[in-house]
Amino acid sequence: MLTLSRWKIIAVTLSVIFGILFSLPNVLPQKTLDALPGWLPHKKLNLGLDLQGGSYLLYEVDTDALHRERLSNLLEDTRTQLRNERMPFGELALQGEVVTVRIGDAARYDDAVSLLRRNLGAPLAGAIGGKDVSVNGRGDQRIEVRFVPEAARADAAKAVDQSIETIRRRIDSLGTKEPSINRQGSNRIMIQAPGESDPQKLIAVVGKTAKLTFQMVDETVTAEDIAAGRIPPDAELLQSEDQYAPVYVVKRRAVVSGDELTNASQSFDQNGRPAVAFAFNGSGARKFGDVTMRNRDKRFAIVLDKKVISAPVINDPITGGNGIITGNFTAQSASELALLLRSGALPAPLNIEDQRTVTAELGADAVRAGSISLAIGAVAMFVFVILAYGLFGVFSAIALVVNVLLIIGIMSFSQATLTFPGIAGLILTLAVAVDANVLIYERMRDESHAGRTPMAAADYGYKLALTSILDANITSLISGLIMFSFGSGPVKGFAWTLVIGVFTSLFTAIFITQVLIGWWFKTAKPKKLPIA
């Protein structure tokens, strides 16, 4: 095993060059780094929230609100289906989790059941031919419509996944570098934004649902009706942010939603006031064109998160799929709204559970403490291996230095985030690497005491210790992968550094020390091992 084969020398040389090149940007001043040629590595380690400071937010996805909204939509869908087929019905109501309706004509009762079964609900994931809505007759000309239990669970899980992706797009649009956005439990989302010292800035963008809808204003409802609470069942009363009316009565069913937007940007209206320009996709443009063509001289409301931003009159059909949203905007608020619309609406409201700011001073203290602990641990291991094994200990110390360079280089290259627990993983990695060399050297010593020649003792030391080294490192690797897969936050940071360290430790403890010892045997031709 101590033969200086060409591939071993090339592998060791390339690994050292890689480690130096990709670790170097972390110690160079930014001015010097900017002056380097473009083909050289420029990426630095990404420091986690606990090392460089930043903001921490914990949100809970309001899946109950999402379920209530879906029930309300189910009620309106039932009303729409029966009206479109001119089915006589009455007593349409939402009773708990169930939409109930009574069909007025007994002769058409079975047709109504078939109609609702055919047209309501969407295919349920994982079910062949199944839907997320069940329609059942009660025998007294009443029909019950409800979501199946699997639908509510699927909706909740999907809402959390969609919220994570939407939050990620919003934070990326802010320019925040390397945010950590992870699910915590079944319906919570943890956000860590290193370098972002103002959590309120994140809350303003992240926590806003930004659900945009275009709904027709119900102009048959008078001010007296509103005062008396006489709101039609297919309409709702919404607060207004425009200057013309404090409230509007609008149709519950949206004619077009923000899901069909392809773009949104900050713009200005004809009077030079800030506005938001938008563009629909093909489907949205057709719907919007049809609605504006059929409803000339009527108002439609632009609704954001259940508040009417504006309610303009349709003077001419809008068939191009483009338009602007006017309101009481400033240039900044119009830009923020455009960002939210581009990144998509959240499927459900978010309730903030916790928010914290890690100051830059605390982050600097953590970096300093981690650096000191790493330096003390490394020096202690260097002293131990050199005192215990002499020249071979020096070879181990060199391998440890290369090991650190490789870990930092790989993390810089992959833009992995280094956390404070990650530094602990780095220290543990060095200890594991030394442990591998201790096993090899002690085995060499045993073989030398058994009467083998120095070359044979060294060769057998590597061969016989390899099994134990592999067993120990594979165990560490499995533990690290389990922690990385199922852990979060600090646990994941520790595990990631540990997993990288397992591979680099194996390489440096075996190959680098092997090449150095082989070179020493070739040049010194010793009669005795320095550790015998």
Side-chain angles (χ1 to χ4, degrees):
M1 289 189 71
L2 288 177
T3 55
L4 291 176
S5 56
R6 182 175 297 176
W7 74 267
K8 288 182 181 178
I9 295 174
I10 291 174
V12 168
T13 303
L14 290 178
S15 67
V16 172
I17 294 173
F18 174 88
I20 293 174
L21 285 179
F22 283 90
S23 299
L24 193 60
N26 294 285
V27 296
L28 292 178
Q30 188 61 45
K31 188 176 180 180
T32 304
L33 196 59
D34 294 337
L36 292 177
W39 56 270
L40 285 174
H42 285 71
K43 294 179 180 178
K44 292 186 176 184
L45 273 172
N46 284 320
L47 299 181
L49 182 69
D50 50 357
L51 294 182
Q52 67 168 303
S55 297
Y56 169 94
L57 298 173
L58 181 65
Y59 280 102
E60 182 180 60
V61 180
D62 194 346
T63 53
D64 291 337
L66 174 66
H67 187 58
R68 290 192 299 270
E69 181 183 0
R70 287 211 65 193
L71 285 172
S72 178
N73 289 339
L74 184 60
L75 177 75
E76 293 306 312
D77 287 342
T78 303
R79 187 195 314 274
T80 301
Q81 291 296 327
L82 294 175
R83 277 185 176 175
N84 289 344
E85 293 298 320
R86 301 184 184 279
M87 294 276 186
F89 69 91
E91 301 177 27
L92 176 64
L94 178 61
Q95 299 178 354
E97 299 283 310
V98 182
V99 174
T100 63
V101 62
R102 186 181 63 80
I103 304 302
D105 186 352
R108 303 192 67 184
Y109 176 75
D110 291 337
D111 292 337
V113 173
S114 299
L115 171 72
L116 296 180
R117 283 179 178 169
R118 185 171 61 252
N119 294 339
L120 291 184
L124 189 62
I128 300 175
K131 287 194 171 186
D132 61 355
V133 170
S134 67
V135 179
N136 300 295
R138 279 180 36 178
D140 55 352
Q141 294 182 220
R142 291 183 182 275
I143 300 174
E144 291 184 344
V145 184
R146 72 185 76 206
F147 287 107
V148 299
E150 294 84 354
R153 291 192 292 269
D155 281 346
K158 185 178 179 182
V160 176
D161 291 337
Q162 288 180 341
S163 296
I164 290 173
E165 291 308 310
T166 300
I167 290 170
R168 192 181 306 280
R169 288 195 297 270
R170 292 180 180 183
I171 292 180
D172 287 346
S173 298
L174 289 176
T176 302
K177 190 176 182 182
E178 292 299 320
S180 173
I181 306 167
N182 298 297
R183 179 197 292 263
Q184 192 173 84
S186 60
N187 64 340
R188 289 186 173 187
I189 299 173
M190 180 186 66
I191 303 169
Q192 293 181 331
E196 181 56 69
S197 59
D198 183 8
Q200 294 303 321
K201 181 180 177 181
L202 285 178
I203 291 172
V205 173
V206 170
K208 196 166 186 177
T209 308
K211 190 165 187 176
L212 182 74
T213 56
F214 296 81
Q215 298 168 243
M216 295 304 302
V217 175
D218 191 339
E219 298 183 89
T220 63
V221 181
T222 64
E224 291 76 15
D225 292 332
I226 294 175
R230 293 191 296 269
I231 307 299
D234 61 344
E236 59 184 336
L237 183 68
L238 297 181
Q239 296 295 317
S240 171
E241 294 183 349
D242 75 3
Q243 56 186 323
Y244 300 107
V247 294
Y248 282 99
V249 177
V250 302
K251 296 292 186 182
R252 288 184 182 273
R253 176 56 74 185
V255 293
V256 193
S257 73
D259 295 338
E260 295 177 290
L261 291 178
T262 58
N263 192 26
S265 59
Q266 192 265 325
S267 182
F268 296 92
D269 63 14
Q270 64 270 25
N271 298 315
R273 291 173 300 200
V276 177
F278 64 87
F280 286 116
N281 60 19
S283 172
R286 284 192 299 273
K287 292 178 185 177
F288 198 59
D290 291 343
V291 168
T292 54
M293 190 173 295
R294 293 196 310 267
N295 294 279
R296 285 192 186 192
D297 300 323
K298 295 181 180 179
R299 286 184 179 273
F300 73 93
I302 301 172
V303 182
L304 180 70
D305 293 343
K306 292 297 183 181
K307 283 190 176 181
V308 178
I309 299 176
S310 62
V313 175
I314 302 172
N315 295 319
D316 295 296
I318 305 173
T319 56
N322 299 302
I324 63 170
I325 302 172
T326 58
N328 297 321
F329 293 123
T330 63
Q332 181 178 352
S333 64
S335 179
E336 287 180 357
L337 176 57
L339 183 155
L340 294 174
L341 296 181
R342 285 196 305 272
S343 60
L346 291 168
L350 297 180
N351 300 322
I352 191 163
E353 297 289 313
D354 188 18
Q355 66 177 76
R356 295 198 299 270
T357 300
V358 179
T359 63
E361 290 78 12
L362 178 58
D365 290 343
V367 173
R368 188 160 47 251
S371 301
I372 292 173
S373 61
L374 179 60
I376 292 174
V379 169
M381 283 183 279
F382 289 164
V383 171
F384 166 75
V385 294
I386 291 173
L387 290 178
Y389 302 109
L391 180 61
F392 282 13
V394 174
F395 293 159
S396 294
I398 294 172
L400 285 176
V401 172
V402 176
N403 192 6
V404 173
L405 290 176
L406 283 177
I407 293 174
I408 295 176
I410 291 172
M411 294 189 73
S412 299
F413 173 75
S414 64
Q415 289 294 277
T417 301
L418 180 65
T419 61
F420 195 70
I423 295 178
L426 185 58
I427 297 172
L428 178 61
T429 295
L430 297 182
V432 171
V434 168
D435 183 59
N437 286 133
V438 168
L439 287 174
I440 293 170
Y441 294 161
E442 288 300 324
R443 194 70 198 191
M444 286 183 184
R445 183 176 286 167
D446 291 342
E447 295 300 318
S448 178
H449 290 168
R452 295 188 185 276
T453 64
M455 175 65 81
D459 194 46
Y460 270 89
Y462 274 100
K463 286 181 180 178
L464 298 177
L466 185 60
T467 301
S468 299
I469 293 171
L470 288 176
D471 285 346
N473 280 276
I474 289 173
T475 302
S476 297
L477 179 62
I478 292 172
S479 300
L481 290 174
I482 291 173
M483 286 189 290
F484 186 80
S485 299
F486 298 100
S488 63
V491 175
K492 197 178 276 282
F494 173 83
W496 179 238
T497 310
L498 181 62
V499 168
I500 293 176
V502 167
F503 290 103
T504 58
S505 297
L506 277 173
F507 178 80
T508 56
I510 296 175
F511 286 96
I512 290 184
T513 56
Q514 191 180 130
V515 167
L516 290 173
I517 291 174
W519 169 80
W520 177 72
F521 267 104
K522 186 176 181 179
T523 55
K525 297 180 174 56
K527 302 296 182 182
K528 183 181 178 182
L529 287 177
I531 59 174

